[in-house]
Amino acid sequence: MEITKNTVVTLEYTVKDPEGSLIDDGHHPLVYLHGGYDGIFAVIEEALQGKKVGDNLKVKLLPEDAFGEFDEELVLVEDASMFPDNIEVGMSFERVAEEGEEEIVYRITDIADGKVVVDGNHPLAGTALIFDLTVKEVRAASAEEVGHGHVHGAGGHHH
């Protein structure tokens, strides 16, 4: 069966940066509903269109096709008094958005001299990603999966 709109695709994959460092070992297969349901990056979905079980491909995503460019404006230095005493580098929190603003998750990247540096960029922002993909399974999606816009069952969403 070919990958077309409204098929459920199972992929084995790894993700590396341009220097060859492993970003994601793909320990769990990726299962998604093909056809514009935003279950996978659009560039990868386009590259998989028409592929079959056993096909292998490498797809390079530029930052703008993956997690976006690094935005310096999302790096803030705040007074430590604004945070609980038990914060640590690496902790994440969601900033309360004002009406009409998108919610942003910030990570604490540094704590020093009574200041806390927080970063609202995705950890992979500004990084190109190279996906090595193998199509393991392709099946027709159920009417319920198409109606919900995502895969159900093993590897998918559970209601």
Side-chain angles (χ1 to χ4, degrees):
M1 173 176 250
E2 224 175 71
I3 297 175
T4 58
K5 184 168 179 65
N6 297 333
T7 54
V8 173
V9 180
T10 301
L11 302 169
E12 284 185 354
Y13 71 98
T14 58
V15 184
K16 295 182 179 177
D17 67 15
E19 288 76 43
S21 297
L22 190 64
I23 303 280
D24 186 343
D25 66 3
H27 179 69
H28 298 287
L30 175 61
V31 182
Y32 78 98
L33 178 59
H34 189 85
Y37 297 98
D38 297 327
I40 196 167
F41 292 115
V43 172
I44 292 175
E45 188 170 65
E46 289 169 23
L48 287 166
Q49 179 72 27
K51 301 293 187 229
K52 297 178 180 150
V53 170
D55 286 350
N56 296 72
L57 60 154
K58 280 193 185 219
V59 180
K60 181 176 183 178
L61 297 183
L62 297 174
E64 60 266 21
D65 297 322
F67 296 104
E69 295 291 346
F70 188 83
D71 184 349
E72 289 287 340
E73 291 184 14
L74 293 177
V75 178
L76 308 171
V77 178
E78 303 285 0
D79 193 85
S81 66
M82 294 177 58
F83 298 87
D85 293 337
N86 62 344
I87 61 169
E88 296 176 8
V89 171
M91 287 181 159
S92 297
F93 63 94
E94 191 169 7
R95 179 176 170 232
V96 177
E98 293 179 25
E99 191 173 330
E101 286 186 337
E102 186 176 323
E103 302 268 328
I104 297 176
V105 174
Y106 284 87
R107 285 175 300 111
I108 297 173
T109 58
D110 194 19
I111 303 169
D113 301 324
K115 299 291 183 189
V116 177
V117 179
V118 296
D119 186 347
N121 288 287
H122 185 280
L124 295 173
T127 303
L129 302 173
I130 300 163
F131 284 75
D132 191 352
L133 307 161
T134 301
V135 180
K136 297 309 281 180
E137 185 182 337
V138 181
R139 68 168 173 81
S142 70
E144 185 179 37
E145 288 171 323
V146 171
H148 289 183
H150 56 249
V151 178
H152 291 173
H157 187 82
H158 302 277
H159 289 275

